[in-house]
Amino acid sequence: MTLNPADEAFALRLRETLPEQVFRSPEPRYMEEPRGRWAGQCGVLALPRSVEEVSALVAAAAAARVPVVPYGGGTGLVGGQVMPEGPAPMIVSLERMNAIRGIYPTENVMIAEAGAILADVQLAAAEAGRLFPLSLAAEGTARIGGNLSTNAGGTAVLRYGNARDLCLGLEAVLPDGRIWHGLSRLRKDNTGYDLRNLLVGAEGTLGIITAATLKLYPQPAARGTAIFVVRDPQAAIELLAMARDQLGEGVSAFELIAGQGLRFLAETLPDVRQPFDTPPDWCVLIELGLARGLDPEAALADLFEAALEAGLANDGLIAQSQAQRDDFWSVREHIPEGNRRIGAVSSHDISVPISLIPEFIARGNQIVAGLGGFRVNCFGHLGDGNLHYNVFPEPGRSKADHANQVGAVKRAVHDLVHEMGGSVSAEHGIGRLKVEDLERYSDPVRLDALRAIKAALDPLGIMNPGAVLRT
Amino acid sequence: MTLNPADEAFALRLRETLPEQVFRSPEPRYMEEPRGRWAGQCGVLALPRSVEEVSALVAAAAAARVPVVPYGGGTGLVGGQVMPEGPAPMIVSLERMNAIRGIYPTENVMIAEAGAILADVQLAAAEAGRLFPLSLAAEGTARIGGNLSTNAGGTAVLRYGNARDLCLGLEAVLPDGRIWHGLSRLRKDNTGYDLRNLLVGAEGTLGIITAATLKLYPQPAARGTAIFVVRDPQAAIELLAMARDQLGEGVSAFELIAGQGLRFLAETLPDVRQPFDTPPDWCVLIELGLARGLDPEAALADLFEAALEAGLANDGLIAQSQAQRDDFWSVREHIPEGNRRIGAVSSHDISVPISLIPEFIARGNQIVAGLGGFRVNCFGHLGDGNLHYNVFPEPGRSKADHANQVGAVKRAVHDLVHEMGGSVSAEHGIGRLKVEDLERYSDPVRLDALRAIKAALDPLGIMNPGAVLRT
């Protein structure tokens, strides 16, 4: 199906039915993305203020066969928010639809518009005495509609699930411009196919999420944070099992940190306070959120003692204050910035079955070493089996020196992940970066089903063309 | 699209490619369902032993345009498992595919075949020191494939979610007979649309689930059970919020029980040991599963004291032994049997936003009273907003006396549920019983999308025709 650009004639037609204020000349930021791999295009930039305006915009695009790129906070890492090729699209930014429409503390429910910034959603929940647990580095910029469209992960998945698991209902504009009013506040509703979960994670290719019903949780009565030095990744996994046996759902986060990451930090961000004078090869950051009647520091001390006895941990620090807790988390949260300053040859957002993590790291390191002189920083959400396995040049060399090896490194790592039953995009999505990976690694029967779904719901192919599936 | 019956010629063709042992002459139970509303038909009964055999069966049905009815434990309450009209189908029972293929305690993961009985799945998890939390009255007969296909609920949804939330991956045969190998053991995998959640809850109309990766949980270190007498449903809701504030995820179940239900029990099942000499108007059954270091009995005593002080509860019993815990649960679990013995005029498996439950009950009772002399037993999963709102004749009359009012009662209750943003099928599904309800109450834009998805994935319309969507 041939698409047409969002040209001057289309812009004029839009202005016949929509108010002037909906449109703005596009600033460069709408055509950029954080990793600087693509330059997007923009024929028309629309900033609707209501679902009805979104509906009118999409209906007009459908009538004119004009591509539509939904835009949230612009923090996606796989190019889902920029359309560099084909006819110039209409970008529909949800930033003005940022209201919290309602909070129902008794129900542990909030209704937020798609353009609400994640940190604001967290804050609104906290002000109502509740927790919205989705938490990730970009939370000050990312918007909840984008978080849902990419099924964002982050650091609290172990306990609370991905963005998908935190959504009860949606309001969305489907590719024909019609509005689905599905802002259910229900915990149970078995009436037909799960359209909600089809739109969640579809990266804007099946419609535009305009608002969502979100699950809230009780706030833990007390929190605790510790860093334990572990022998190796296998010990980290056994420690996680031990922690969950002792503390059940009380384990909120369990992050693996490699010595390489700490050394990168020391080199590039020396002001970040490090927990150990000499970076250990492996450590884990443990976050607890416990119910009333339990003391997180005591629980962490018990855990450390048991881990020491079992030979799983040989050193550890338990935060004694909020400031120390912040310090520990600051280390974890600055690792990506340290990586950026070193400059990765290739980064991989992968997951494997949790029990296979040690084997994956060992085989991955061997494979990467076979391709040349590299350093690996492997870190991330161990409790979810989700690792960021990033490959760097050796000291004195830059990623430019390895430009011709990027493809080989990525392919080798992804092949290993696939062979081990893993995913080559654990939390970032497919966007435009991983369309070929999806084709290569997805079960072919599933891939055909995904294509059939796309054709059924967006027969004109106007929604975010080129993302997820090849047009 | 015209379908053909699974006739003798079709049966002969199947036997050319599949072994004789796959087929058996159908016993009556495959054409019955628990409520006795429908008599099914069966042209061919197939009992495949592998996904490859399921694949061959469905491929043959697709080639011959023969309807296929997938069959699990046969415990569904909405007629999804019986096809009373149209060309006689091939029934594909998964009962022989009942293996536990693997348990991965470190990962909190199990892979089970669709025909595994739910109680056996629970047992296998327990033997590995883990919890598979899905729990419902029919667990000794229901099979996990059917539980997933209907997105079963039950008593632990408050804490652990519906069947949907307990599934990480699927192996399934799609309507063209091809096998989707999707038994992922991953917690995070953002590679394209969520086909898994489309098949979960599709009631066999989009394919046949043959195996599933299931989430396991740590077993709570200690459990506790109590029954608190509450002033009214509003007090029950406030008590739930109080319990979750104090105990976080430790609240595993929170069930509302009406005095009417206890009186029905006393009348029809006098051997069931009742907690109170005089049934209170409203009480709640609370189940805790706590992590190490917490004493459930003490926690329940604290909760009772706070509830008493806040005027939410005025009497209560905390189980002091496993036997007493079993007694309390026995009361809850026998309520449906008491109902059956009284004989309901109309039963409703509904959900509303939790904070609206008191209003729903008050308005519902008023509406029902306006339709005639009835008794209402309203009970169920209060923590999920899921109530079984069942309407009974007055003493001395039978449901047959009200046969001509069934439709009016059901319609009035469902209209109220819909008006209040609720669901007319919270946990049982659509099946064949509620196809018209889905058409009446679903958002029309969503309904069109569901039809488009069905047409895209099952263009011949062979999968469980007449269930969920009208053919």
Side-chain angles (χ1 to χ4, degrees):
Chain A
M1 194 102 35
T2 312
L3 296 177
N4 303 311
D7 58 15
E8 198 48 42
F10 178 68
L12 284 173
R13 276 205 303 286
L14 287 176
R15 283 179 167 80
E16 285 168 17
T17 50
L18 283 145
E20 182 60 35
Q21 308 95 286
V22 170
F23 305 97
R24 201 198 283 164
S25 53
E27 299 152 48
R29 66 185 174 96
Y30 294 100
M31 286 159 280
E32 297 165 356
E33 46 82 33
R35 288 187 173 165
R37 291 168 189 262
W38 290 281
Q41 323 167 70
C42 182
V44 167
L45 172 66
L47 300 96
R49 299 157 303 176
S50 67
V51 64
E52 290 77 18
E53 288 184 350
V54 177
S55 169
L57 289 163
V58 175
R65 310 278 195 275
V66 163
V68 178
V69 174
Y71 196 90
T75 60
L77 295 172
V78 288
Q81 70 276 49
V82 289
M83 185 176 160
E85 291 173 355
M90 172 169 68
I91 294 178
V92 176
S93 170
L94 280 297
E95 66 202 78
R96 283 177 173 170
M97 289 185 65
N98 60 1
I100 305 295
R101 289 199 194 157
I103 300 189
Y104 309 86
T106 322
E107 300 175 12
N108 280 313
V109 161
M110 178 194 302
I111 297 181
E113 290 187 340
I117 287 176
L118 174 53
D120 294 337
V121 173
Q122 294 167 346
L123 191 65
E127 284 171 355
R130 294 291 181 272
L131 174 73
F132 182 66
L134 189 68
S135 176
L136 38 86
E139 62 197 25
T141 313
R143 297 174 189 273
I144 191 68
N147 293 144
L148 289 167
S149 292
T150 57
N151 185 27
T155 53
V157 174
L158 177 66
R159 180 169 187 166
Y160 299 102
N162 295 288
R164 179 186 305 292
D165 302 301
L166 302 173
C167 176
L168 292 171
L170 292 178
E171 174 190 89
V173 171
L174 297 192
D176 61 2
R178 293 200 297 164
I179 302 167
W180 169 36
H181 295 284
L183 287 176
S184 163
R185 281 151 54 195
L186 306 174
R187 301 274 159 173
K188 289 168 103 171
D189 178 15
N190 274 348
T191 53
Y193 310 149
D194 190 354
L195 188 59
R196 177 186 80 222
N197 276 318
L198 208 47
L199 286 175
V200 171
E203 306 184 39
T205 65
L206 298 178
I208 301 182
I209 293 171
T210 56
T213 319
L214 303 172
K215 267 191 215 171
L216 306 181
Y217 281 83
Q219 288 182 323
R223 298 168 197 251
T225 310
I227 297 188
F228 288 3
V229 175
V230 293
R231 195 184 59 226
D232 54 23
Q234 178 63 39
I237 289 169
E238 289 170 28
L239 177 60
L240 170 63
M242 181 183 274
R244 297 192 82 191
D245 275 348
Q246 290 194 3
L247 296 154
E249 290 100 326
V251 185
S252 299
F254 199 93
E255 298 282 309
L256 182 70
I257 299 173
Q260 189 59 267
L262 297 176
R263 289 191 293 272
F264 283 171
L265 264 193
E267 182 181 336
T268 62
L269 295 162
D271 290 346
V272 173
R273 199 193 312 261
Q274 295 235 3
F276 304 103
D277 293 336
T278 308
D281 281 348
W282 296 102
C283 56
V284 292
L285 175 64
I286 306 172
E287 172 84 6
L288 301 186
L290 300 183
R292 212 184 276 197
L294 289 174
D295 173 356
E297 287 173 29
L300 287 165
D302 284 354
L303 180 65
F304 181 71
E305 200 165 318
L308 190 68
E309 195 165 320
L312 301 175
N314 52 54
D315 197 359
L317 293 167
I318 298 171
Q320 303 296 319
S321 65
Q322 182 60 41
Q324 228 179 346
R325 291 187 56 227
D326 293 345
D327 277 354
F328 288 4
W329 272 104
S330 170
V331 169
R332 168 63 186 86
E333 281 162 1
H334 279 96
I335 286 174
E337 180 57 25
N339 288 345
R340 261 186 291 275
R341 296 189 181 200
I342 297 289
V345 174
S346 184
S347 301
H348 314 92
D349 163 43
I350 64 96
S351 63
V352 292
I354 294 168
S355 66
L356 302 183
I357 284 176
E359 180 188 340
F360 168 77
I361 294 176
R363 290 177 64 187
N365 290 354
Q366 202 168 18
I367 287 170
V368 168
L371 292 171
F374 294 106
R375 292 179 293 177
V376 170
N377 183 15
C378 175
F379 66 103
H381 320 302
L382 186 89
D384 316 312
N386 175 196
L387 299 174
H388 300 296
Y389 187 89
N390 297 356
V391 179
F392 297 85
E394 291 197 320
R397 295 176 67 88
S398 80
K399 62 179 179 177
D401 298 328
H402 296 285
N404 63 345
Q405 289 175 289
V406 173
V409 170
K410 186 175 295 292
R411 180 66 183 270
V413 173
H414 283 181
D415 280 356
L416 177 64
V417 166
H418 180 64
E419 184 200 321
M420 296 180 73
S423 168
V424 298
S425 191
E427 60 175 6
H428 295 163
I430 296 296
R432 289 172 174 82
L433 181 64
K434 296 188 177 175
V435 172
E436 278 182 40
D437 287 312
L438 178 62
E439 291 172 354
R440 179 174 295 120
Y441 298 115
S442 176
D443 178 275
V445 174
R446 170 174 180 263
L447 194 57
D448 282 352
L450 302 197
R451 289 181 178 130
I453 291 164
K454 169 72 174 176
L457 295 182
D458 181 20
L460 304 173
I462 61 167
M463 289 309 307
N464 209 2
V468 184
L469 296 170
R470 198 183 294 267
T471 50
Chain B
M1 195 99 36
T2 313
L3 297 177
N4 303 311
D7 58 14
E8 199 47 44
F10 177 68
L12 285 172
R13 276 207 304 285
L14 287 176
R15 284 178 167 80
E16 286 169 16
T17 49
L18 284 144
E20 182 59 34
Q21 309 96 284
V22 170
F23 306 98
R24 200 197 284 163
S25 53
E27 299 152 48
R29 66 183 173 95
Y30 294 101
M31 285 158 279
E32 297 165 355
E33 46 81 32
R35 289 187 172 165
R37 291 169 190 263
W38 289 280
Q41 323 167 70
C42 182
V44 167
L45 172 67
L47 300 94
R49 299 156 304 177
S50 67
V51 64
E52 290 76 18
E53 288 183 351
V54 177
S55 170
L57 289 163
V58 175
R65 309 279 194 275
V66 162
V68 177
V69 174
Y71 196 89
T75 61
L77 295 173
V78 289
Q81 70 276 51
V82 289
M83 185 175 160
E85 291 173 355
M90 171 170 69
I91 293 178
V92 177
S93 171
L94 280 298
E95 66 202 79
R96 283 176 173 170
M97 288 186 66
N98 61 0
I100 305 294
R101 290 199 193 156
I103 300 189
Y104 309 87
T106 321
E107 301 174 13
N108 280 314
V109 160
M110 177 195 301
I111 297 180
E113 291 186 339
I117 287 176
L118 175 53
D120 294 338
V121 173
Q122 294 166 346
L123 191 65
E127 285 171 356
R130 294 291 182 272
L131 174 73
F132 182 66
L134 188 69
S135 177
L136 38 87
E139 63 197 23
T141 312
R143 296 175 190 271
I144 192 67
N147 294 144
L148 290 167
S149 292
T150 58
N151 185 28
T155 53
V157 174
L158 177 66
R159 180 168 186 167
Y160 299 103
N162 295 288
R164 177 186 307 292
D165 303 301
L166 302 173
C167 176
L168 293 171
L170 293 177
E171 174 190 88
V173 172
L174 298 192
D176 61 2
R178 293 199 297 165
I179 303 167
W180 168 36
H181 295 283
L183 287 175
S184 163
R185 281 151 55 195
L186 306 175
R187 301 274 160 173
K188 289 168 102 172
D189 178 15
N190 274 347
T191 53
Y193 311 149
D194 190 353
L195 188 60
R196 176 187 80 222
N197 276 317
L198 207 48
L199 287 174
V200 171
E203 305 184 41
T205 65
L206 299 178
I208 301 181
I209 293 171
T210 55
T213 319
L214 304 172
K215 269 191 214 171
L216 305 180
Y217 281 83
Q219 289 181 322
R223 298 169 198 251
T225 309
I227 297 188
F228 287 5
V229 176
V230 292
R231 194 184 59 225
D232 53 24
Q234 178 63 38
I237 288 169
E238 290 169 26
L239 176 60
L240 170 62
M242 181 183 274
R244 297 191 83 191
D245 275 348
Q246 290 193 5
L247 296 155
E249 290 101 327
V251 186
S252 300
F254 198 92
E255 298 282 309
L256 182 69
I257 299 174
Q260 189 61 264
L262 297 176
R263 289 191 291 273
F264 283 172
L265 264 192
E267 182 181 337
T268 61
L269 295 162
D271 290 346
V272 172
R273 199 194 311 261
Q274 294 235 3
F276 304 102
D277 293 336
T278 308
D281 282 348
W282 296 102
C283 57
V284 291
L285 175 64
I286 306 171
E287 172 85 6
L288 301 185
L290 301 183
R292 210 186 277 198
L294 289 174
D295 173 355
E297 288 173 28
L300 287 165
D302 285 354
L303 180 64
F304 181 72
E305 201 165 318
L308 191 68
E309 194 165 320
L312 301 176
N314 52 54
D315 197 359
L317 294 167
I318 297 171
Q320 303 296 319
S321 65
Q322 182 62 41
Q324 230 180 344
R325 292 187 56 224
D326 292 345
D327 277 353
F328 289 3
W329 273 105
S330 171
V331 169
R332 168 64 186 88
E333 281 162 0
H334 278 96
I335 286 175
E337 180 57 24
N339 289 345
R340 260 187 291 275
R341 295 190 181 201
I342 298 290
V345 174
S346 183
S347 302
H348 314 92
D349 163 42
I350 64 95
S351 62
V352 291
I354 293 166
S355 67
L356 302 183
I357 285 177
E359 180 188 341
F360 168 77
I361 294 176
R363 290 176 66 188
N365 289 356
Q366 205 169 16
I367 288 170
V368 168
L371 292 171
F374 294 107
R375 291 180 292 178
V376 170
N377 183 15
C378 175
F379 65 102
H381 319 301
L382 187 89
D384 316 312
N386 176 196
L387 299 174
H388 299 297
Y389 187 89
N390 297 358
V391 179
F392 297 85
E394 291 197 322
R397 295 176 67 88
S398 80
K399 63 178 178 176
D401 298 329
H402 295 285
N404 63 345
Q405 290 175 288
V406 173
V409 170
K410 186 175 295 292
R411 180 67 184 270
V413 173
H414 282 181
D415 280 355
L416 176 64
V417 166
H418 180 64
E419 185 200 320
M420 297 182 71
S423 168
V424 300
S425 191
E427 60 176 5
H428 296 163
I430 297 296
R432 288 171 174 83
L433 180 65
K434 296 189 176 176
V435 172
E436 279 183 37
D437 287 312
L438 178 62
E439 291 172 354
R440 180 174 295 120
Y441 298 115
S442 175
D443 178 276
V445 174
R446 170 173 179 262
L447 195 56
D448 282 352
L450 303 197
R451 289 182 178 128
I453 291 163
K454 170 73 174 175
L457 295 183
D458 182 20
L460 304 173
I462 61 166
M463 289 308 307
N464 209 2
V468 185
L469 297 169
R470 200 183 293 268
T471 50

